[in-house]
Amino acid sequence: MNNHNHLHKYIRIIPIIGLLFFLVLIIYAYQHGIFRSTTSLQRFIQQFGEYAVVIFILLQIIQVIIPILPGGISSVAGLLMFGNGWGLLYSCIGLIIGEAIGFLLVRYYGVSFVQLILSPKKYQKFDQLLTQKTKDIKKVLCLTMLIPFAPDDLVCLVAGLTKISFKEYIQIVLLLKPWSVGAYSLIMLYLFQKAQGNF
């Protein structure tokens, strides 16, 4: 029985260790300017050669759980590196997996996990959503995924603390996230190219 309890404690600690490891990597990346622009991010990912797609998808997964990049940089970098079609597909794969993992981590660890990964300002928004929107979480989840630039990642974290089942949650994400990612990414790409003087 004691061995089982110890094993359960270790299982609970493993994700936290992984999170701390990623935080160290993020600090390293910031110090070396990897996240400052789409160009530096592209250069970083492309150096992995045939594994660039895997690295990009992993980055998108992490980006959902720990918002490390300024809005849209990773999605635009994906479109520029892999083309609109493949870039959107890889973004969707990574972001949907990230939404699923984030939901499960919040459901398992509760509010303490959310406090760990969000800034005080974002946590305040999270707390407001949690207080006001939990009864209509399905409607709010659908609405935020239909509207580009809406805080759907925050709503996904809120969903983890509600009574919505994982099956219902993932069905909504699978149905609507591709639209959300596509609309957001293409708008950001257009703005990026316009800023670069390509339009």
Side-chain angles (χ1 to χ4, degrees), residues 103 107 129 132-147 152 155-156 158-173 175-177:
F103 177 93
R107 180 144 292 184
L129 285 167
Q132 299 167 8
K133 305 295 185 182
T134 50
K135 290 181 180 178
D136 304 313
I137 190 62
K138 291 182 191 176
K139 292 179 182 177
V140 175
L141 195 56
C142 290
L143 187 63
T144 54
M145 288 200 175
L146 285 170
I147 302 172
D152 60 321
V155 176
C156 288
V158 169
L161 294 174
T162 68
K163 293 181 180 179
I164 187 173
S165 68
F166 179 73
K167 183 180 178 181
E168 289 176 304
Y169 168 79
I170 205 65
Q171 284 174 343
I172 293 171
V173 172
L175 182 64
L176 299 178
K177 191 68 178 180

Side-chain angles (χ1 to χ4, degrees), residues 99-164:
E99 301 284 19
I101 293 172
F103 177 93
L104 293 172
L105 286 171
V106 172
R107 180 144 292 184
Y108 191 77
Y109 291 103
V111 175
S112 58
F113 175 77
V114 181
Q115 288 175 318
L116 182 66
I117 63 170
L118 294 184
S119 65
K121 187 177 179 180
K122 284 199 171 184
Y123 181 78
Q124 188 176 8
K125 290 182 181 177
F126 168 86
D127 196 43
Q128 288 171 352
L129 285 167
L130 185 63
T131 304
Q132 299 167 8
K133 305 295 185 182
T134 50
K135 290 181 180 178
D136 304 313
I137 190 62
K138 291 182 191 176
K139 292 179 182 177
V140 175
L141 195 56
C142 290
L143 187 63
T144 54
M145 288 200 175
L146 285 170
I147 302 172
F149 304 99
D152 60 321
D153 290 348
L154 279 179
V155 176
C156 288
L157 293 177
V158 169
L161 294 174
T162 68
K163 293 181 180 179
I164 187 173

Side-chain angles (χ1 to χ4, degrees), residues 20-164:
L20 291 173
F21 174 73
F22 281 125
L23 286 173
V24 171
L25 286 179
I26 290 161
I27 291 167
Y28 171 84
Y30 268 117
Q31 287 176 342
H32 288 77
I34 292 169
F35 298 145
R36 286 178 188 166
S37 68
T38 53
T39 305
S40 60
L41 183 59
Q42 277 181 269
R43 198 177 297 122
F44 171 72
I45 294 173
Q46 286 171 338
Q47 72 180 349
F48 292 95
E50 61 186 38
Y51 300 105
V53 171
V54 176
I55 296 299
F56 176 73
I57 290 173
L58 286 173
L59 182 66
Q60 291 294 70
I61 292 171
I62 297 164
Q63 167 67 9
V64 175
I65 302 168
I66 311 169
I68 53 177
L69 297 171
I73 280 186
S74 59
S75 297
V76 170
L79 298 183
L80 293 172
M81 280 189 295
F82 308 114
N84 289 358
W86 289 110
L88 286 176
L89 177 63
Y90 299 146
S91 281
C92 283
I93 291 170
L95 294 172
I96 288 171
I97 293 172
E99 301 284 19
I101 293 172
F103 177 93
L104 293 172
L105 286 171
V106 172
R107 180 144 292 184
Y108 191 77
Y109 291 103
V111 175
S112 58
F113 175 77
V114 181
Q115 288 175 318
L116 182 66
I117 63 170
L118 294 184
S119 65
K121 187 177 179 180
K122 284 199 171 184
Y123 181 78
Q124 188 176 8
K125 290 182 181 177
F126 168 86
D127 196 43
Q128 288 171 352
L129 285 167
L130 185 63
T131 304
Q132 299 167 8
K133 305 295 185 182
T134 50
K135 290 181 180 178
D136 304 313
I137 190 62
K138 291 182 191 176
K139 292 179 182 177
V140 175
L141 195 56
C142 290
L143 187 63
T144 54
M145 288 200 175
L146 285 170
I147 302 172
F149 304 99
D152 60 321
D153 290 348
L154 279 179
V155 176
C156 288
L157 293 177
V158 169
L161 294 174
T162 68
K163 293 181 180 179
I164 187 173

